[in-house]
Amino acid sequence: MSKMHVKLNVNGQEVEGLAEPRTLLIHFLRENLNITGPHIGCETSHCGACTVDLNGKSVKSCTVFVAQANGSDVTTVEGLTNDDGSLGVIQEMFREHHGLQCGFCTPGMITRAHRLLQENPNPTEEEVRFGMAGNLCRCTGYQNIVKAILASADMMNAQKEAAE
Amino acid sequence: MKDELTQDQRSANLKGMGSSRKRVEDVRFTQGKGRYVDDIKLDGMLFGDFVRSPYAHARVTSINTEAAMAIPGVVAVLTAKDLEPLGLHWMPTLAGDKQMVLADGKVLFQGQEVAYVIANDRYAAADGVEAVEVEYEELPVIVNPFEALKSNVVLREDLEGQTEGAHGPRKHHNHIFTWEQGDKEGTEKVLEEADVVAEEMVYYHRTHPCPLETCGCVASMDKVTGKLTLYGTFQAPHAIRTVVSLISGIAEHNIRVVSPDIGGGFGNKVGAYAGYVCSVVASIVTGKPVKWVEDRMENLMTTAFARDYWMQGKIAATKEGKITGLWCHTTADHGGFDACADPTKFPAGFMNICTGSYDIPTAYLAVDGVYTNKAPGGVSYRCSFRVTEAAYFIERMIEVLAIELNMDAAELRRINFIKSDQFPYQSALGWEYDSGDYHRAWDQALNAVGYKELREEQAQRIEDFKAGKTRKLIGIGLTHFTEIVGAGPVKNCDILGLGMFDSCEIRIHPTGSAIARLGTISQGQGHATTFAQIIASEIGLPADDITLEEGDTDTAPYGLGTYGSRSTPVAGAATAMAARKIRAKAQMIAAYLLEVHDDDVEWDVDRFSVKGAPERFKTMKEIAFAAYNQAIPGLEPGLEAVSYYDPPNMTYPFGAYICVMEIDVDTGEHEIRSFYALDDCGTRINPMIIDGQVHGGCTEGYAIAMGQEIAYDEMGNCKSATLMDFFLPTAWETPTYTTDFAVTPSPHHPIGAKGVGESPNVGSVPCFSNAVHDAFRPFGLVQSHMPHDHWRIWKIAKDLGLHS
């Protein structure tokens, strides 16, 4: 099958490559770019393990063609680590509150939580639960994930206040 | 030498047992730096994908691979004919049966592997799968095990005429085994003479562990060295190495099996699957690494279902409610092949723990295994072998008996619990329970939830309902479960002849840090965190200075892997024992350095000090250096130890769970108002991780009880092969859990730990189910099968005439 040229900005880096028109974004990220944070759990948009940020919106990269993402900004969990290599706030709070076990859903969870907190910096527990309902976890029962996201919101707000 | 820190401070610095140490795994996982099997990329790697049967029972009359081979990127297509000369078209199962690797003349379940396409990338492999032409001739389908035992249709033609199976006589051509335990005549006599007998059919439906990461592998045969490396989602990497060696003929030292990070297992990743065999063959044939990763549909349709037990029960009691006998006959639907993952001598696993937490003097259990046109498996979905089935059975039978006696089910449990002074307790079906204090746990639980007040509220609600003031009922679900985990003693537990011991090797480095390797493999349980805590407490080096490795058979000591809550009971014990060997040698080194006799030093958190002179001591760190630096007469240099631990008995964790559920009679919807989980897993290693395990296990239990199911239609079509149809609760539906604990250490485990990972699945399923039943008990409901999805609950209400 003939290939097309695609260009993306992934985690702040300009990247380009050749892909079949049918190539899914998740496969391009994982196989062409070796960005293996986003995972494949279902390929039907149900589990959210492949969640990435596409132009400021959460998408499930298993149901987006890379061709559709051509020219876009993509953020994966790898892009949420601080510049000095330390854990970003949400990553740190997931660790602090035991918000992960096997780690397979975690990149999608954290990437989704990142967008959720951009959209709603002061969510209630109910809003977190609703906002995260597109991401499945088989290990944690979500209780500590919810706790971690609420703690992240508090910490991010405190950091914002301190900066102002 | 002066030491500024108190004993408690030094102890806290170790982050040893009892501390809620943060997980060391999380720094990688939160940054997307885990290394799961699909992340492995080797030079020249090819991809495998299966052609699968659309029929549940059919003859395969022809397979044409020509069109597939013409597709760009397709390298080869394997069928049973290609595997036959190698003797690999069939493979042994863990249950003593055999299973087709690729369809050998017929298929027995929908989704069965028919051909294996190898291609340059996964897209080309999928194209190849589409292009393989297979002709089928449909055969009559049997999806019901009771029909299978009456039908003239022979499912397993390969076994025709064989009246003896791996577990004794076969009564019918679709029958696999009968397994009997306990006293049949004695139990029948008790049932005949009893004041009260309650009888019920309890069905535990077919479901699936469905870890978020599916099963997969990468096989890489190095033709130069003759060494096969097999990366995969294996819960038992060492056993997989032995199995691969036995069925492939490759010498075991020339096989390296690696379990990288595993994205959840829950029993799904214990077995050996056709994908592994085909990938190994494909790598040998092509000389290139071959990756196979199943998709979600393949995972749900073909690899390792769980449960599917029809349990006919009779329970006898006195008028006062003292249970006198228990009878159970189970019809077990194993699908097309018996691929259960149970210890060899236990074809129905530990189903004979079905007397539960109760002192039942006489009992009898029989299990009949049956072939049907459904997927093979029968693994333990987050439970020790068939223990959830057993716990569900007894916890339902107790409720049914409570109805028969018109008694409160909490009180009925209380008067039948095994008493704390009866331990070690010999059960009527052959187990020796190690320790427990059920009455204490039960009272703690009932008090915590305000049981009396809940019953009063429920009674008021029923009045209101009858008066037309509300359409919602309250259900109070009770469960007291006893698990049997930590398989197990080598004398009665093996898998394919491999005794179920486990192992740990610890090496102390000169600067006082260490590496430990175990025969188990974490799939999210946090072994790298918790096993280091055991070592920290045992040898006084900080957990943060201890690396833990598992899953590489070239470096880790042999062990049987992680499932059946066996890691802490078995490998955790090995860890403590290996650490104690190190401490014993350290004692001699310390005594030498302190110039006293070995017996004149004593252990003190992180050091040996001279008895009566605590200011004279050598820390473990100092001792470690001395082990590599001093020529000590009579002692070899170095400081390392290995322990292979054969547990003297299983461990018996237990718990008391209480669920309060609101049910809308008109819509069948439910709301979990509260869920209280008290677990007694003996000594607690990391309370944070225990809580996390309980949250996760209860959520799996919630799914199973309230909606999750692998369902088939009469044609054998799997109706629940995607996450659209197979219920995995989201953060929105999932309840919030209140956890609690009690501690009754195991008397035979070196650190008294019993294991906890699977308790919440075992305990929560009957708890949720009992809550549904309890809500409708005043209106005459005795038994209704899971899963209790909205439609089924609505149907209960309708059948009870509550919809007027």
Side-chain angles (χ1 to χ4, degrees):
Chain A
M1 200 172 283
S2 65
K3 295 196 171 182
M4 55 186 293
H5 183 244
V6 287
K7 214 169 165 181
L8 304 168
N9 185 304
V10 181
N11 298 328
Q13 303 276 318
E14 294 290 335
V15 295
E16 52 190 315
L18 292 174
E20 291 179 21
R22 63 176 175 173
T23 302
L24 297 168
L25 177 57
I26 184 70
H27 288 138
F28 189 78
L29 291 171
R30 291 178 51 83
E31 316 242 322
N32 294 49
L33 305 179
N34 288 322
I35 293 175
T36 56
H39 295 139
I40 302 170
C42 70
E43 294 172 299
T44 52
S45 281
H46 289 99
C47 81
C50 64
T51 302
V52 302
D53 216 60
L54 182 70
N55 294 332
K57 282 207 166 78
S58 293
V59 299
K60 291 174 175 171
S61 60
C62 75
T63 12
V64 176
F65 293 118
V66 67
Q68 289 172 286
N70 198 4
S72 301
D73 288 340
V74 176
T75 305
T76 69
V77 72
E78 286 92 339
L80 298 177
T81 303
N82 294 331
D83 292 342
D84 64 0
S86 61
L87 296 182
V89 171
I90 304 174
Q91 292 167 330
E92 184 60 41
M93 289 302 100
F94 267 65
R95 195 185 78 89
E96 180 66 27
H97 294 284
H98 190 30
L100 63 150
Q101 291 181 26
C102 80
F104 200 76
C105 76
T106 310
M109 283 284 174
I110 289 177
T111 313
R112 172 60 197 144
H114 162 75
R115 181 49 46 199
L116 177 70
L117 295 180
Q118 299 291 316
E119 291 162 353
N120 180 359
N122 288 297
T124 62
E125 177 179 337
E126 208 171 49
E127 286 167 342
V128 169
R129 285 185 176 271
F130 191 78
M132 296 302 295
N135 291 67
L136 297 175
C137 172
R138 295 289 290 138
C139 299
T140 65
Y142 306 102
Q143 196 154 326
N144 289 339
I145 289 178
V146 173
K147 214 196 255 183
I149 295 171
L150 290 170
S152 300
D154 287 347
M155 184 158 287
M156 287 158 95
N157 291 333
Q159 283 178 354
K160 219 185 287 168
E161 253 175 55
E164 275 163 11
Chain B
M1 269 174 85
K2 277 258 174 196
D3 197 86
E4 304 296 332
L5 300 177
T6 66
Q7 227 175 22
D8 285 350
Q9 285 168 327
R10 285 189 278 123
S11 185
N13 285 347
L14 297 177
K15 298 188 193 168
M17 285 191 280
S19 110
S20 284
R21 180 186 185 217
K22 303 298 172 209
R23 297 199 336 160
V24 296
E25 294 90 341
D26 295 356
V27 174
R28 287 191 301 119
F29 291 156
T30 54
Q31 299 186 77
K33 299 295 181 196
R35 187 172 181 252
Y36 302 88
V37 72
D38 201 15
D39 300 339
I40 293 168
K41 209 172 172 181
L42 303 177
D43 284 345
M45 190 169 73
L46 305 175
F47 291 78
D49 201 351
F50 280 111
V51 177
R52 294 180 180 276
S53 169
Y55 299 107
H57 195 198
R59 283 199 203 291
V60 178
T61 53
S62 73
I63 303 175
N64 186 342
T65 62
E66 229 170 90
M69 287 301 293
I71 287 177
V74 172
V75 174
V77 181
L78 299 178
T79 65
K81 275 196 184 128
D82 303 303
L83 299 182
E84 193 173 356
L86 307 166
L88 291 175
H89 55 319
W90 288 73
M91 64 178 176
T93 71
L94 296 180
D97 194 0
K98 55 180 182 161
Q99 177 176 352
M100 285 180 227
V101 173
L102 292 172
D104 183 22
K106 73 184 279 193
V107 288
L108 286 160
F109 64 95
Q110 189 185 47
Q112 188 177 327
E113 298 81 3
V114 175
Y116 184 78
V117 176
I118 307 149
N120 288 331
D121 66 55
R122 61 180 87 216
Y123 287 75
D127 291 342
V129 166
E130 287 299 309
V132 173
E133 292 160 11
V134 186
E135 283 180 9
Y136 299 91
E137 184 187 303
E138 287 183 72
L139 294 167
V141 173
I142 308 174
V143 290
N144 178 309
F146 299 101
E147 273 174 34
L149 288 179
K150 286 184 249 158
S151 173
N152 294 328
V153 177
V154 180
L155 300 183
R156 290 290 298 274
E157 289 162 349
D158 60 297
L159 299 178
E160 231 179 337
Q162 285 187 27
T163 53
E164 194 75 17
H167 306 289
R170 299 174 66 219
K171 295 188 289 207
H172 180 269
H173 51 251
N174 295 328
H175 179 253
I176 310 171
F177 64 82
T178 301
W179 190 58
E180 283 182 286
Q181 297 285 297
D183 178 0
K184 186 167 189 248
E185 278 174 24
T187 306
E188 281 167 358
K189 190 160 177 284
V190 167
L191 287 166
E192 267 169 37
E193 293 169 0
D195 293 349
V196 178
V197 176
E199 184 170 356
E200 199 52 68
M201 170 65 92
V202 178
Y203 178 48
Y204 198 142
H205 60 292
R206 182 176 276 235
T207 182
H208 193 282
C210 194
L212 203 59
E213 177 201 35
T214 58
C215 299
C217 71
V218 180
S220 179
M221 173 51 108
D222 184 327
K223 288 214 162 166
V224 177
T225 61
K227 185 149 183 170
L228 171 72
T229 305
L230 181 62
Y231 304 88
T233 50
F234 310 128
Q235 288 182 238
H238 300 271
I240 288 283
R241 185 186 71 190
T242 302
V243 170
V244 170
S245 177
L246 290 174
I247 68 176
S248 71
I250 301 170
E252 202 167 354
H253 71 281
N254 274 332
I255 302 171
R256 176 183 172 217
V257 173
V258 181
S259 293
D261 290 323
I262 295 182
F266 316 122
N268 185 212
K269 295 167 179 171
V270 173
Y273 297 125
Y276 307 157
V277 178
C278 289
S279 303
V280 168
V281 172
S283 182
I284 293 171
V285 170
T286 62
K288 291 185 174 172
V290 178
K291 179 187 276 187
W292 166 75
V293 178
E294 61 180 2
D295 65 26
R296 179 58 59 195
M297 197 178 272
E298 294 175 297
N299 177 253
L300 287 169
M301 283 176 76
T302 68
T303 46
F305 79 90
R307 327 296 193 228
D308 217 347
Y309 261 33
W310 293 88
M311 302 173 286
Q312 182 73 39
K314 294 177 201 171
I315 188 163
T318 64
K319 287 193 293 289
E320 295 74 32
K322 185 76 194 77
I323 301 170
T324 51
L326 180 72
W327 181 95
C328 177
H329 180 268
T330 295
T331 302
D333 185 340
H334 286 240
F337 307 95
D338 185 7
C340 289
D342 292 314
T344 306
K345 296 186 187 106
F346 297 87
F350 304 156
M351 181 61 197
N352 55 336
I353 193 75
C354 66
T355 51
S357 309
Y358 311 102
D359 182 15
I360 302 179
T362 313
Y364 169 70
L365 165 73
V367 182
D368 279 305
V370 182
Y371 291 123
T372 61
N373 289 121
K374 290 151 86 171
V379 297
S380 305
Y381 171 3
R382 200 175 185 143
C383 70
S384 193
F385 315 100
R386 300 290 188 182
V387 175
T388 35
E389 287 91 326
Y392 186 65
F393 169 73
I394 184 65
E395 288 302 299
R396 282 301 309 141
M397 290 308 294
I398 289 282
E399 296 280 324
V400 171
L401 178 62
I403 292 171
E404 190 71 33
L405 289 164
N406 196 24
M407 258 182 97
D408 176 77
E411 185 54 24
L412 179 60
R413 283 179 173 85
R414 186 200 308 278
I415 62 178
N416 285 290
F417 281 143
I418 300 162
K419 296 183 187 70
S420 59
D421 61 9
Q422 286 178 280
F423 292 94
Y425 172 81
Q426 203 67 43
S427 84
L429 292 176
W431 296 113
E432 185 184 297
Y433 292 31
D434 60 349
S435 65
D437 192 342
Y438 302 163
H439 286 94
R440 183 184 62 171
W442 197 234
D443 289 342
Q444 190 175 328
L446 295 178
N447 287 333
V449 300
Y451 181 67
K452 195 168 155 280
E453 293 75 19
L454 279 173
R455 284 291 180 206
E456 286 163 8
E457 187 192 346
Q458 185 188 37
Q460 181 60 50
R461 182 69 69 89
I462 292 163
E463 290 302 309
D464 292 349
F465 181 83
K466 287 178 177 167
K469 291 184 200 163
T470 179
R471 297 297 291 164
K472 283 190 178 174
L473 297 172
I474 297 177
I476 302 167
L478 305 173
T479 285
H480 191 289
F481 64 92
T482 296
E483 266 246 82
I484 170 170
V485 305
V490 171
K491 63 176 188 282
N492 59 356
C493 285
D494 71 272
I495 285 185
L496 292 176
L498 302 165
M500 295 182 75
F501 59 86
D502 226 290
S503 60
C504 175
E505 177 202 84
I506 304 172
R507 290 184 188 175
I508 311 294
H509 306 315
T511 52
S513 62
I515 184 164
R517 296 188 172 98
L518 287 84
T520 43
I521 176 73
S522 188
Q523 308 126 38
Q525 295 91 337
H527 289 179
T529 305
T530 51
F531 286 127
Q533 291 181 256
I534 297 176
I535 299 169
S537 287
E538 290 289 340
I539 63 171
L541 292 175
D544 289 346
D545 294 346
I546 300 166
T547 296
L548 200 116
E549 270 186 16
E550 299 173 304
D552 185 336
T553 59
D554 264 10
T555 55
Y558 204 98
L560 268 281
T562 295
Y563 44 86
S565 261
R566 64 186 300 283
S567 297
T568 295
V570 192
T575 304
M577 297 309 272
R580 285 173 193 180
K581 287 183 188 177
I582 285 179
R583 200 165 88 185
K585 184 171 177 185
Q587 180 168 1
M588 292 189 262
I589 297 171
Y592 172 80
L593 297 173
L594 293 163
E595 299 178 341
V596 294
H597 190 270
D598 292 354
D599 294 340
D600 293 333
V601 293
E602 62 187 355
W603 180 246
D604 171 20
V605 181
D606 57 354
R607 65 196 55 188
F608 279 101
S609 55
V610 176
K611 283 180 185 167
E615 72 286 356
R616 290 185 61 207
F617 62 84
K618 289 289 169 192
T619 65
M620 201 62 198
K621 210 172 155 87
E622 292 170 312
I623 294 167
F625 193 71
Y628 292 90
N629 156 275
Q630 299 268 330
I632 303 173
L635 277 187
E636 288 180 4
L639 194 53
E640 60 180 70
V642 59
S643 171
Y644 287 82
Y645 187 80
D646 177 11
N649 189 5
M650 311 281 181
T651 59
Y652 297 76
F654 61 94
Y657 288 6
I658 300 173
C659 170
V660 182
M661 189 184 288
E662 298 256 354
I663 287 177
D664 187 315
V665 169
D666 296 319
T667 64
E669 289 173 296
H670 66 269
E671 183 200 336
I672 309 299
R673 211 167 81 181
S674 64
F675 194 102
Y676 169 91
L678 179 150
D679 276 280
D680 188 330
C681 58
T683 303
R684 288 154 58 86
I685 299 167
N686 184 321
M688 175 191 82
I689 285 182
I690 292 172
D691 276 354
Q693 292 287 311
V694 174
H695 297 163
C698 285
T699 303
E700 290 183 341
Y702 172 66
I704 294 167
M706 305 309 291
Q708 188 176 89
E709 176 182 26
I710 293 288
Y712 290 87
D713 68 11
E714 291 194 346
M715 303 291 288
N717 294 307
C718 180
K719 299 196 290 179
S720 48
T722 72
L723 297 186
M724 180 70 97
D725 310 297
F726 185 79
F727 176 50
L728 296 185
T730 71
W732 185 249
E733 300 92 20
T734 301
T736 299
Y737 307 98
T738 304
T739 57
D740 199 353
F741 67 98
V743 177
T744 314
S746 169
H748 62 78
H749 187 278
I751 57 170
K754 290 185 170 184
V756 75
E758 301 174 336
S759 292
N761 192 318
V762 172
S764 67
V765 174
C767 191
F768 287 113
S769 180
N770 283 347
V772 173
H773 284 91
D774 184 70
F776 292 104
R777 176 177 164 175
F779 304 95
L781 179 67
V782 179
Q783 174 65 22
S784 180
H785 299 318
M786 294 190 291
H788 306 297
D789 54 26
H790 300 167
W791 181 77
R792 285 185 174 94
I793 291 182
W794 177 87
K795 185 84 168 39
I796 291 171
K798 182 173 185 291
D799 293 348
L800 293 172
L802 300 181
H803 288 162
S804 61

